Amino acid sequence: MEIIIDGNKIDFTPNTSETVYDFLINKIRDFIPKNMVIKEIFLDDKKYDDLMIDDEKAKTFKLTSNGTLKINTMTSDELVMQSLNSIESYFSDLLKNLGKVADLLREGNDKEGFTDFAADLKGIGAFVQVMDKIALFLNIDYSTYKYKERSIKDYFDDTEKLLSNILETQKTLDYVMLADLIDFEMEPLIKTWKEVILTLKSDIGNGK
């Protein structure tokens, strides 16, 4: 398999058992600078970005097979900024949906309301995971990084507490209480998180 990184063919001869997974985990660091990370992956010009997270799938592609593996990279700062932009966009969409969910719950349309809200909660879980990775990339300690006199860890604690309260409310099927939590606690918290993200983006842009 021909391997091309950022438009340049690399000199690499795999052994008979090596897979795309083995290359991504063990070998790619020999061919890209330390501050670079994978941006996108193509196999025979078909995009396969999921190979970055789906280990089992990556193991199914043998490097000794015919074809071309293309990998494009970007700096870790570019990755962080891209992630923050995605989070900001997600929160904008989330804020538009939360009011709709609260209205559905108050109207007694709990089935549709819960379906929409389940997707919202899944997205918040993904947001927390992405923020953990950003902290590693930027070497940020969220317990000391401040926004409006509070640490980012404090906002994470608020989020965890709110999600716990939402879970308890779902168990009791108190739809009015859940709608109130969405309107009066979740929406303000998400708006604050948007401001935190904007501050992070500004600090990165200024090299802080």
Side-chain angles (χ1 to χ4, degrees), residues 164-205:
S164 178
N165 290 338
I166 286 172
L167 180 60
E168 288 301 314
T169 305
Q170 286 177 310
K171 288 180 180 179
T172 60
L173 303 180
D174 189 338
Y175 306 134
V176 174
M177 177 63 75
L178 180 56
D180 286 346
L181 284 174
I182 292 171
D183 277 341
F184 303 119
E185 293 190 36
M186 194 169 193
E187 283 197 29
L189 182 59
I190 296 302
K191 288 177 180 177
T192 299
W193 269 120
K194 279 197 69 175
E195 294 170 1
V196 171
I197 297 304
L198 285 172
T199 300
L200 272 173
K201 287 172 60 177
S202 177
D203 287 350
I204 294 171

Side-chain angles (χ1 to χ4, degrees), residues 80 83-84 87 126-147 149-157 193 196-197 199-201 203-204:
V80 168
S83 299
L84 291 174
I87 291 172
F127 151 71
V128 172
Q129 292 178 345
V130 170
M131 289 294 285
D132 285 343
K133 291 180 180 178
I134 287 174
L136 291 175
F137 273 121
L138 298 182
N139 195 27
I140 291 177
D141 182 353
Y142 285 147
S143 65
T144 59
Y145 192 101
K146 300 284 186 178
Y147 175 73
E149 306 305 318
R150 301 185 72 214
S151 72
I152 290 185
K153 183 181 181 301
D154 289 333
Y155 295 114
F156 275 119
D157 290 342
W193 269 120
V196 171
I197 297 304
T199 300
L200 272 173
K201 287 172 60 177
D203 287 350
I204 294 171

